[in-house]
């Protein structure tokens, strides 16, 4: 007979986990404990849920997110698993190792979650609460660290509440995180494994399983970038022209708001809807018979900043 709004933070139990699963299935967000840091979870197969994650974090750009799974059985419907990946999963999962693998054909993972890339980062967290919530949702869960952009990663439910407040939607308290730093990110989409982010599983531990040293991304002199900034970005094949009001001859026009265009990111001018459609629509227009891609102006507020960041990269001169 409690008619007040449910508390933002709820202890992990059968009831709160079921509620979390129900929220996730309807595209809403839930923050929850993993062994590394608290994650801000959303349905990884739902572009709108993933857009809501970026909006809640206030991220000025779309970093690709990790798809979290609870069980081994459906992984190959999401990503392509080779012998190296299989060996690492067997040894370190569940645990703080994220593998970047080629997207499976017909993978249901949102293109916004992978920032338009042909690869997907995937991991199985070693925390009963995280896995129970993923199972209750019945689908892979995209989850960046549950903090506002630029803030430190949260290792308690209280940290999440301080950083995100009501934006977290619901926080399932699974106690303080055991590892306390983010998972190791290993890129296996290339012949030589590349360590994109150091974390709970060390390079030596990975080498012991693979019988091969992973190259460190920082050691690559051609791309001296800081961890977390390492992801390459989906680049359209066609040239991109920004702030277009009309299509020129041969161009596809990607619209925003009420206008005449080839495809519309959001006819109502909703920036979360536009973010959800961005990568799928860019891909749909990046082909014959079009010879170039024109994009309507997008307002710079809210998720518009991240959309424009992505579009400016797409329109930048190619090297
Ligand atoms: O421990 C963790 O990994 C936590 C917990 C919540 O699971 N999650 C986390 O997510 O740290 P996030 O979004 O803050 O970091 C994901 C990292 C980023 O450095 C991102 O660039 C990289 O994974 N990443 C994701 N997908 C990628 C891809 N397809 N290619 C390369 N890097 C990718
Ligand atoms: Mg983070």
């Amino acid at each position: 007979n409690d008619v007040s709004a449910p508390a933002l933070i709820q202890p992990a139990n059968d009831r709160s986990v079921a509620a979390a699963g129900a929220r996730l299935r309807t595209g809403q967000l839930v923050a929850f404990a993993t062994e590394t840091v608290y994650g801000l979870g959303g349905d990884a197969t739902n572009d709108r849920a993933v857009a809501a994650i970026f909006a809640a974090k206030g991220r000025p750009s779309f970093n690709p997110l990790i798809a979290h799974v609870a069980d081994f059985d459906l992984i190959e419907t999401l990503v392509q698993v080779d012998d190296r990946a299989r060996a690492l999963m067997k040894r370190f999962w569940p645990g703080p190792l994220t593998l970047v693998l080629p997207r499976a054909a017909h993978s249901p993972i949102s293109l916004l979650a992978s920032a338009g890339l042909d690869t997907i980062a995937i991991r199985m967290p070693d925390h009963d609460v995280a896995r129970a919530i993923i199972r209750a949702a019945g689908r892979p869960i995209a989850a960046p660290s549950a903090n506002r952009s630029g803030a430190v990663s949260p290792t308690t439910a209280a940290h999440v509440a301080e950083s995100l407040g009501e934006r977290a939607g619901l926080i399932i308290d699974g106690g303080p995180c055991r590892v306390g730093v983010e998972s190791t990110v290993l890129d296996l989409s290339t012949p030589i494994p590349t360590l994109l982010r150091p974390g709970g599983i060390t390079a030596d531990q990975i080498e012991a399983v693979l019988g091969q040293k992973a190259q460190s991304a920082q050691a690559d002199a051609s791309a001296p970038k800081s961890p977390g900034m390492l992801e390459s970005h989906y680049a359209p094949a066609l040239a991109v022209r920004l702030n277009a009001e009309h299509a020129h001859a041969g161009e596809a026009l990607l619209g925003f708001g009420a206008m005449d265009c080839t495809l519309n990111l959001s006819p109502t001018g909703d920036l979360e809807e536009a973010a959800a459609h961005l990568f799928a629509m860019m891909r749909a227009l990046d082909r014959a018979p079009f010879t170039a891609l024109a994009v309507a102006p997008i307002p710079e507020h809210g998720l518009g900043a991240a959309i424009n960041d992505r579009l400016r990269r797409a329109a930048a001169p190619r090297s």
Side-chain angles (χ1 to χ4, degrees), residues 34-199:
T34 81
E35 82 281 27
T36 58
V37 300
Y38 274 71
L40 178 62
D43 179 352
T45 68
N46 177 340
D47 288 321
R48 290 299 295 262
V50 175
I53 294 174
F54 286 113
K57 282 192 61 100
R59 261 192 184 173
S61 63
F62 298 124
N63 293 336
L65 305 180
I66 299 167
H68 294 70
V69 296
D71 297 287
F72 285 96
D73 43 1
L74 293 176
I75 288 172
E76 298 197 37
T77 65
L78 309 177
V79 290
Q80 298 173 38
V81 179
D82 65 9
D83 290 344
R84 301 171 305 171
R86 202 165 286 114
L88 290 168
M89 290 173 181
K90 204 169 164 212
R91 172 72 181 79
F92 297 117
W93 281 12
L97 177 66
T98 294
L99 299 176
V100 174
L101 296 167
R103 174 181 281 272
H106 315 296
S107 175
I109 299 291
S110 150
L111 269 178
L112 181 61
S114 67
L117 298 171
D118 289 321
T119 54
I120 291 169
I122 185 165
R123 91 174 187 97
M124 185 186 290
D126 184 18
H127 198 298
D128 289 346
V129 171
R131 286 203 309 280
I133 288 172
I134 297 163
R135 286 195 187 109
R139 60 206 65 194
I141 299 299
S145 53
N147 51 276
R148 290 284 284 175
S149 176
V152 294
S153 295
T155 54
T156 67
H159 291 167
V160 179
E162 279 163 29
S163 190
L164 289 173
E166 298 291 334
R167 293 184 190 92
L170 170 65
I171 303 168
I172 305 297
D173 190 348
C177 299
R178 173 172 64 76
V179 177
V181 294
E182 285 93 340
S183 61
T184 301
V185 180
L186 183 72
D187 187 352
L188 287 179
S189 68
T190 50
I192 301 180
T194 306
L195 197 61
L196 297 180
R197 184 174 71 181

Side-chain angles (χ1 to χ4, degrees), residues 60 62 271-272 298-310 312:
F62 298 124
L271 288 164
E272 270 188 52
I298 311 291
E300 185 65 24
H301 60 86
L303 276 188
I307 295 171
N308 284 323
D309 168 79
R310 185 63 198 79
R312 278 190 291 269

